Amino acid sequence: MKVLVTGGLGYIGSHTCVALLEAGHTVVIVDNLSNSKIDTLNKVMQITKKNIPFYKVDVTDVLAVNSIFSKHDLDAVIHFAGFKAVGESVEKPIEYYHNNVVSTLIIAEACRKYNVHRFVFSSSATVYGDNKVPFVETMDLLPTTNPYGETKAINERILIDIAKANPAISLSILRYFNPAGAHKSGLIGESPVGIPNNIMPYISQVANGKLEKLRVFGNDYNTVDGTGVRDYIHVIDLAAGHVAALENLNEGIHIYNLGTGQGVSVLELVKAFEDANNIKIPIEIVERRPGDLASCYADVSKAKQELGWEAKYDIVAMCHDSWNFEKNRF
Ligand code: NAD
Ligand code: UDP
């Protein structure tokens, strides 16, 4: 298939482009480089030894988007482009709703105009709110605690309404849990700008001495050791999940959790990182971070049954590969 990948130079998008190309598909990447670097395109081409058409375009620009659709005979779109920093979304709700929701409408409209019926959308476990774990796809969506989460829930509703209105559409909504790790080559991975919010890049920067210690946000949750539990999933597994979703996509609306189904606490993650890389990570227990859940992990049976996909890599592999990327970066 020929797949338009929006946000294809970002963390998950770049790994997914590699996986698509390695599975024999072709990709066209569009990214405005607001949270990525053009060098990632060279790295993806270096890994796959393929040439990739790239457009530095903002996907909220309707004319530019239509022009890309008119130039390529696309079979499918995977829509990753969007802003993703939870804290920033609280400070800049207009920018978040504009970028994340308008982009989806514009891409969906171009799909209608150019008869592209396969659509894969990047959603997030955040749409489950504080439902009871493990999260199952059939659960009602609960309010999220920030505009970022709301944009994901709104986009899901918009796309579901669009798919209901046109039975020819094949829609796959993928709810990611916590992506971690990097490509085995160490060439691509997660490179957040400034001080990372997410724990894995934060730990990596403690490991390389850029940051002094990890602040553990609370040790009084009702979890195995009192620290927050998350379902970390290797970005390579996540990328493979997109290929599986695309290759198994039929008409109608399909929603899948992409996680491992395993909850890992902050202290377990720190220990796994120390064991995998033989580096001590100093920690300090501090107050809970507002808005954090105690536990968040997936029921992954639906993706396994319907897509024949399941995660292969464990937390130690994620810690090893995250550090392998981070240490190559400097
Ligand atoms: P990322 O920031 O690394 O990648 C997003 C890419 O989209 C970036 O390269 C950015 O430059 C581009 N982009 C943003 N707005 C754009 C626009 N208007 N036009 C063109 N390009 C634009 O993020 P990621 O971690 O790869 O996440 C990809 C998607 O998955 C996002 O939609 C995100 O919300 C979702 N998601 C991420 C996580 C996570 O923890 N990383 C979890 C759940 C869902
Ligand atoms: N966390 C932490 N210190 C940090 C960053 C995160 O203790 O500097 C914890 C956080 O409270 C949560 C887990 O690590 O329990 C994962 O947080 P992250 O921000 O990576 O993902 P999300 O909150 O989106 O699940």
Side-chain angles (χ1 to χ4, degrees):
M1 277 186 255
K2 187 168 191 181
V3 188
L4 180 72
V5 184
T6 77
L9 295 187
Y11 175 43
I12 307 171
S14 57
H15 290 81
T16 301
C17 286
V18 170
L20 287 166
L21 290 162
E22 286 177 346
H25 301 287
T26 55
V27 302
V28 175
I29 297 180
V30 49
D31 199 305
N32 66 356
L33 304 181
S34 58
N35 197 34
S36 51
K37 299 209 171 73
I38 191 65
D39 192 40
T40 302
L41 179 66
N42 303 326
K43 301 277 172 60
V44 173
M45 295 202 284
Q46 188 181 335
I47 294 167
T48 59
K49 300 185 176 57
K50 301 256 165 67
N51 256 323
I52 304 170
F54 169 69
Y55 296 89
K56 183 178 179 295
V57 154
D58 191 308
V59 290
T60 61
D61 177 343
V62 64
L63 293 179
V65 166
N66 279 338
S67 153
I68 297 169
F69 274 75
S70 71
K71 284 193 191 110
H72 296 275
D73 192 13
L74 299 168
D75 298 298
V77 171
I78 305 183
H79 181 35
F80 290 106
F83 293 151
K84 63 164 183 178
V86 170
E88 189 183 59
S89 77
V90 178
E91 288 152 29
K92 298 180 175 172
I94 295 178
E95 284 81 353
Y96 269 69
Y97 283 107
H98 181 83
N99 199 41
N100 291 7
V101 180
V102 173
S103 63
T104 302
L105 285 171
I106 285 173
I107 299 287
E109 215 174 340
C111 284
R112 180 175 62 181
K113 190 165 175 198
Y114 292 92
N115 291 315
V116 180
H117 290 137
R118 297 186 191 86
F119 199 109
V120 177
F121 176 66
S122 298
S123 190
S124 163
T126 190
V127 298
Y128 288 110
D130 65 354
N131 267 296
K132 202 167 163 296
V133 282
F135 296 150
V136 187
E137 290 88 343
T138 47
M139 284 173 164
D140 286 337
L141 303 193
L142 295 183
T144 62
T145 51
N146 56 77
Y148 166 73
E150 286 307 298
T151 68
K152 291 294 170 194
I154 291 169
N155 273 328
E156 285 201 12
R157 292 190 192 104
I158 290 173
L159 290 169
I160 287 169
D161 285 342
I162 292 171
K164 278 184 187 163
N166 181 356
I169 290 178
S170 305
L171 170 65
S172 188
I173 291 174
L174 304 179
R175 295 179 179 157
Y176 314 151
F177 283 68
N178 289 54
H183 192 262
K184 297 282 172 194
S185 62
L187 289 172
I188 54 172
E190 188 173 17
S191 352
V193 178
I195 297 179
N197 291 308
N198 292 116
I199 191 162
M200 189 66 100
Y202 200 104
I203 292 179
S204 298
Q205 294 198 14
V206 173
N208 72 17
K210 274 182 85 181
L211 296 167
E212 190 196 340
K213 62 189 167 197
L214 173 72
R215 290 176 312 136
V216 176
F217 297 142
N219 67 349
D220 56 353
Y221 287 108
N222 184 18
T223 61
V224 58
D225 55 22
T227 64
V229 164
R230 296 291 181 274
D231 184 340
Y232 298 95
I233 173 162
H234 201 299
V235 67
I236 296 176
D237 281 325
L238 205 49
H242 287 74
V243 178
L246 196 67
E247 291 180 348
N248 289 281
L249 196 51
N250 304 315
E251 284 91 351
I253 299 156
H254 311 276
I255 303 179
Y256 298 104
N257 287 337
L258 295 184
T260 63
Q262 303 293 317
V264 171
S265 76
V266 173
L267 296 183
E268 287 169 339
L269 176 61
V270 171
K271 179 159 188 333
F273 193 97
E274 292 181 336
D275 291 349
N277 301 313
N278 208 13
I279 298 174
K280 185 88 192 124
I281 302 296
I283 64 165
E284 181 192 2
I285 308 291
V286 299
E287 289 297 294
R288 290 180 178 194
R289 183 170 64 178
D292 270 359
L293 297 173
S295 293
C296 170
Y297 54 92
D299 179 314
V300 290
S301 43
K302 188 177 175 201
K304 188 175 175 184
Q305 257 169 28
E306 294 188 11
L307 304 178
W309 169 89
E310 64 184 322
K312 293 197 180 84
Y313 294 104
D314 64 9
I315 194 68
V316 175
M318 292 178 231
C319 291
H320 176 272
D321 296 339
S322 291
W323 175 236
N324 184 45
F325 172 70
E326 184 67 27
K327 72 182 183 215
N328 280 338
R329 219 153 64 91
F330 294 97

